[in-house]
């Protein structure tokens, strides 16, 4: 078909990373955390928003992953210091420091009695508990207030959360950087974590996709 004189074909729309994902969670906000390979402990985190039918990057930050890299979330084993790959929701935020101004997410303040239970024998496995229940051993739980730097601000990643499989892993968060690689979480600089909390809107159903640039754990699989 000939175009009228003086007109030109529309430029092809740029394909973004969210466009290539198998699933984005159905919302209008998305975070991608991508490592170069399965053994990487660093990579890149980008937060995106759906605007006028397109995914637009709203911010980027260097990311850190587990000390032993990344592994398939569906078969991950607890205690392996690996970050689970997959697509996950973000149930709520928490922090030792007050929520950044403009935070819309439910934000739980971390008090002295707050723990995250990782005890496989407990009915509270992979749950915030306050105070620590009798069936959750202190040695099998994270005392949240003890991580002043990392848990200054955090978002719960919904890995193994809705119906926890004991032994798969507990306490996977998006949080502020510590000294180095994580025990399985995803971490970013504090100013980036604060920016994400100001940006995220629960009604836009944000999810996080974690994976690698290519290979068996390619983020586009999720």
């Amino acid at each position: 078909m000939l175009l009228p004189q003086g007109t030109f074909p529309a430029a092809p729309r740029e394909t973004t990373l969210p466009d290539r994902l198998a699933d984005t969670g159905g919302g209008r906000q998305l975070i991608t955390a991508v490592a170069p390979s399965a053994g990487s402990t660093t990579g890149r985190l980008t937060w995106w928003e759906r605007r006028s039918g397109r995914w637009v990057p709203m911010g980027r930050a260097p990311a850190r992953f587990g000390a032993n890299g990344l592994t398939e979330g569906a078969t991950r084993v607890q205690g392996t210091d690996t970050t689970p790959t997959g697509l996950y929701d973000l149930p709520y935020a928490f922090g030792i420091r007050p929520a950044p101004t403009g935070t819309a997410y439910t934000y739980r303040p971390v008090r002295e009695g707050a723990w995250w239970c990782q005890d496989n024998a407990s009915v509270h496995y992979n749950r915030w508990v306050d105070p620590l229940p009798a069936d959750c051993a202190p040695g099998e739980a994270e005392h949240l207030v003890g991580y002043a730097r990392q848990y200054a601000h955090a978002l719960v990643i919904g890995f193994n959360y809705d119906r926890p499989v004991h032994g798969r892993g507990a306490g996977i968060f998006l949080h502020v950087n510590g000294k180095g690689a994580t025990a399985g979480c995803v971490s970013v600089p504090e100013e980036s974590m604060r920016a994400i909390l100001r940006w995220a809107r629960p009604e836009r159903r944000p999810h996080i996709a974690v994976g690698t640039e290519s290979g068996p754990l390619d983020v586009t699989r999720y």
Side-chain angles (χ1 to χ4, degrees), residues 85-147:
T85 59
L87 178 72
Y88 306 106
D89 64 354
L90 299 161
Y92 61 89
F94 67 90
I96 294 171
R97 296 182 58 190
T101 301
T103 299
Y105 248 77
T106 298
Y107 190 91
R108 299 186 70 169
V110 175
R111 309 298 186 199
E112 180 63 31
W115 297 71
W116 198 275
C117 184
Q118 300 176 344
D119 191 335
N120 280 288
S122 174
V123 297
H124 303 283
Y125 180 71
N126 202 20
R127 286 293 183 271
W128 173 301
V129 289
D130 186 357
L132 189 68
D135 74 339
C136 187
E140 298 294 332
E142 275 194 348
H143 194 196
L144 299 180
V145 77
Y147 296 85

Side-chain angles (χ1 to χ4, degrees), residues 64-220:
R64 296 176 182 175
F65 301 99
N68 289 321
L70 295 81
T71 193
E72 176 62 53
T75 55
R76 182 182 184 269
V77 176
Q78 183 168 331
T80 54
D81 288 348
T82 53
T83 297
T85 59
L87 178 72
Y88 306 106
D89 64 354
L90 299 161
Y92 61 89
F94 67 90
I96 294 171
R97 296 182 58 190
T101 301
T103 299
Y105 248 77
T106 298
Y107 190 91
R108 299 186 70 169
V110 175
R111 309 298 186 199
E112 180 63 31
W115 297 71
W116 198 275
C117 184
Q118 300 176 344
D119 191 335
N120 280 288
S122 174
V123 297
H124 303 283
Y125 180 71
N126 202 20
R127 286 293 183 271
W128 173 301
V129 289
D130 186 357
L132 189 68
D135 74 339
C136 187
E140 298 294 332
E142 275 194 348
H143 194 196
L144 299 180
V145 77
Y147 296 85
R149 182 172 178 177
Q150 295 94 323
Y151 297 158
H153 306 291
L155 271 165
V156 176
I157 294 177
F159 165 72
N160 199 31
Y161 189 76
D162 285 342
R163 297 179 180 177
V165 175
H166 291 233
R168 182 156 294 165
I172 301 298
F173 312 127
L174 172 59
H175 63 69
V176 176
N177 283 342
K179 292 182 178 180
T182 74
C185 296
V186 180
S187 73
V188 293
E190 182 173 352
E191 60 270 22
S192 300
M193 192 68 233
R194 292 175 63 85
I196 291 166
L197 287 174
R198 288 191 294 265
W199 159 81
R201 291 291 181 270
E203 69 274 10
R204 296 176 187 171
R205 297 171 58 196
H207 285 66
I208 185 169
V210 183
T212 58
E213 293 177 359
S214 60
L217 303 180
D218 191 323
V219 69
T220 62

Side-chain angles (χ1 to χ4, degrees), residues 18-53:
D19 292 321
R20 302 197 303 272
L21 297 183
D23 188 5
T24 60
R28 291 186 290 130
Q29 290 186 328
L30 178 71
I31 299 171
T32 55
V34 184
S37 66
S40 300
T41 59
T42 60
R44 177 66 60 178
L45 185 139
T46 307
W47 51 105
W48 308 78
E49 191 146 329
R50 189 80 172 166
R51 293 186 173 184
S52 301

